[in-house]
Amino acid sequence: MYGPGGFYLRPEGPAGHFRTSVHASPLFAAAVARLLAGTARSLGTDEVAFVDIGAGRGELLTGVLAALPDGLVVRPYAVERAPRPPGLDPRIAWRAEPPAGVSGLLFANEWLDNVPVDIAETDPDGVVRYVLVRPDGTEELGVPVDGPDAEWLARWWPSAGPGSRAEIGRPRDEAWTAAVATLERGLAVAVDYAHTRDARPPFGTLTGFRAGREVRPVPDGSCDLTSHVALDSCALPGAELTVQREALHRLGVSGGRPPLSLAAADPAAYLRALAAAGEAGELTARGGLGDFGWLAQPVGVALPDLIAPPGTPASAARDPGTARDDPGTALRDCRP
């Protein structure tokens, strides 16, 4: 994906092939800016870091910087393996790895779905085996899954019988744990297509995207390779899982239609509000972007009021002992 001629190194960038919440509306970046401000309040400071993992061409960072409230000082970091794009705001530090020891908000929008994972399939005899793939995309079953991968499957994605498939999310768990560990204090948020233990897709979710279309996942660099994320297995103690429509509603993104009285009083303002309502509707729609999972992981602080579920005690986010036995229950509305 990042090798010579790799998909993510193409001049058009990811935005030339698929549409994320960042590209759908500036309302998303504005909501993240409010979350950043809420994180700063939780930290008791007006100077914080904002780390964007899987930054693409810097679109989210650019939008967040434009939406910052007065008085908040932000150190922005883009974490991306592609080269720095020309013309990017000079305040943004461009890095291949997240900075260590910072305090603030670490945000990973559609990053974990591109962290590579192995695929497993149950053969006709009930043996769970690795799926091997050739450069042209053809597959065959390999050796049985064993060791830590087998343990992960037994806990998080048990076989549904012969012919069923699973995506072994252990590398994603490890990648997320490593990313969270770079924060000294603050909040880490992962946003992605997701599923939970009580609703795993029986045949997996591996697919490809090219030029706005879903295509066969061929590992030759010609398309994006992606699969949905078992966010419940990524969650560390103290985390909260929800879906995007709920998270964005708490962050002030509403698809409510503006009052008709505004149309008579200020037609231009009414049209702007109507357009914003449409964009908010897309960001929070059931069956679409609104079904994305949000994993919020506090580090040394309580969850900001803007993201914490209503009625959550502040101590619940600070004390690892309050973590749920089944963190996936809060994501039951999220469908792959």
Side-chain angles (χ1 to χ4, degrees), residues 235-315:
L236 300 169
E240 289 290 344
L241 284 165
T242 188
V243 290
Q244 176 155 300
R245 59 180 167 274
E246 295 175 1
L248 289 185
H249 285 159
R250 294 177 197 148
L251 290 166
V253 178
S254 172
R257 186 184 181 120
L260 286 174
S261 58
L262 182 61
D266 190 339
Y270 177 78
L271 290 176
R272 289 193 298 271
L274 195 62
E279 293 175 2
E282 180 182 2
L283 290 172
T284 59
R286 292 182 181 273
L289 295 175
D291 286 350
F292 271 57
W294 277 51
L295 167 60
Q297 185 73 57
V299 178
V301 297
L303 282 171
D305 292 340
L306 288 173
I307 196 68
T312 299
S315 60

Side-chain angles (χ1 to χ4, degrees), residues 63-162:
V64 168
L65 291 176
L68 290 177
D70 292 339
L72 183 63
V73 179
V74 174
R75 301 184 306 279
Y77 298 90
V79 181
E80 174 60 59
R81 295 180 63 184
R84 181 188 184 99
L88 191 67
D89 190 315
R91 292 175 292 175
I92 298 172
W94 196 266
R95 304 170 56 103
E97 301 290 340
V102 300
S103 293
L105 175 62
L106 181 148
F107 202 85
N109 185 62
E110 296 196 49
W111 169 59
L112 286 173
D113 66 321
N114 287 121
V115 173
V117 296
D118 282 314
I119 309 296
E121 183 173 320
T122 305
D123 72 12
D125 297 323
V127 178
V128 180
R129 297 179 178 274
Y130 290 106
V131 175
L132 308 180
V133 60
R134 295 187 175 88
D136 65 359
T138 57
E139 297 178 350
E140 65 181 57
L141 296 187
V143 300
V145 177
D146 61 6
D149 284 349
E151 294 171 5
W152 188 93
L153 286 174
R155 179 178 181 185
W156 293 109
W157 200 330
S159 171

Side-chain angles (χ1 to χ4, degrees), residues 172-288:
R172 291 170 172 174
D173 297 354
E174 295 170 353
W176 180 242
T177 298
V180 171
T182 65
L183 277 181
E184 183 174 318
R185 295 175 69 228
L187 179 67
V189 176
V191 181
D192 241 305
Y193 280 116
H195 46 68
T196 55
R197 187 168 47 195
D198 59 349
R200 301 287 189 222
F203 304 109
T205 62
L206 176 67
T207 191
F209 282 96
R210 183 193 305 116
R213 296 179 180 273
E214 190 169 359
V215 297
R216 184 165 165 259
V218 178
D220 60 0
S222 67
C223 64
D224 179 35
L225 299 176
T226 180
S227 59
H228 299 182
V229 182
L231 276 182
D232 50 345
S233 77
C234 295
L236 300 169
E240 289 290 344
L241 284 165
T242 188
V243 290
Q244 176 155 300
R245 59 180 167 274
E246 295 175 1
L248 289 185
H249 285 159
R250 294 177 197 148
L251 290 166
V253 178
S254 172
R257 186 184 181 120
L260 286 174
S261 58
L262 182 61
D266 190 339
Y270 177 78
L271 290 176
R272 289 193 298 271
L274 195 62
E279 293 175 2
E282 180 182 2
L283 290 172
T284 59
R286 292 182 181 273

